[in-house]
Amino acid sequence: MANKYKKTGCARLFIILIILAPLTYIGASYINGEDGIDNFKKLLRVDQWGKGKSTSPNDTGGDNKEVYQLKQKIERLEESNKELKEQLEYLQEKLDRINQEE
């Protein structure tokens, strides 16, 4: 039995764009260290569907994940700063002892 419908080049292109473009966007977001699915949902504003509410592009909707990541980075930097200060004090004391011996 012969196939009733043939896929034209244009139809193939649309199918590829519908499937491949979102997957590529999600993959690129993950490579950049972001959550690709969340980015895609924000791009499409999926959370706003059916609510009758539109948001401006500047409205992030309380991006808690980003805030959490920034807090974690601040804590790591503060800990690193504390360690470096301790090392500096230790080396300064050692230098003072060396200078007193001379």
Side-chain angles (χ1 to χ4, degrees):
M1 180 181 254
N3 192 359
K4 270 183 159 179
Y5 302 103
K6 285 181 122 182
K7 288 183 194 156
T8 63
C10 185
R12 289 178 185 166
L13 176 67
F14 284 129
I15 290 171
I16 288 173
L17 287 176
I18 288 170
I19 295 171
L20 193 60
L23 291 176
T24 305
Y25 179 78
I26 291 169
S29 294
Y30 278 121
I31 289 173
N32 289 332
E34 302 168 357
D35 188 7
I37 295 174
D38 271 350
N39 283 347
F40 195 68
K41 286 180 181 178
K42 286 179 188 175
L43 181 69
L44 296 178
R45 296 184 181 173
V46 173
D47 59 337
Q48 299 299 320
W49 290 0
K51 293 183 181 177
K53 175 178 141 184
S54 65
T55 59
S56 68
N58 296 331
D59 184 19
T60 59
D63 198 8
N64 292 333
K65 184 177 180 182
E66 216 174 298
V67 171
Y68 177 75
Q69 288 175 346
L70 289 173
K71 285 182 180 180
Q72 290 292 325
K73 186 173 183 178
I74 289 170
E75 288 177 6
R76 286 193 311 266
L77 290 173
E78 286 176 344
E79 184 65 33
S80 175
N81 191 17
K82 182 180 176 184
E83 290 174 6
L84 290 172
K85 282 183 180 180
E86 290 173 356
Q87 289 177 359
L88 180 63
E89 288 173 1
Y90 172 75
L91 292 173
Q92 187 65 39
E93 289 174 7
K94 230 177 170 181
L95 183 63
D96 289 343
R97 278 190 234 134
I98 292 172
N99 286 338
Q100 286 177 355
E101 291 177 0
E102 291 179 352

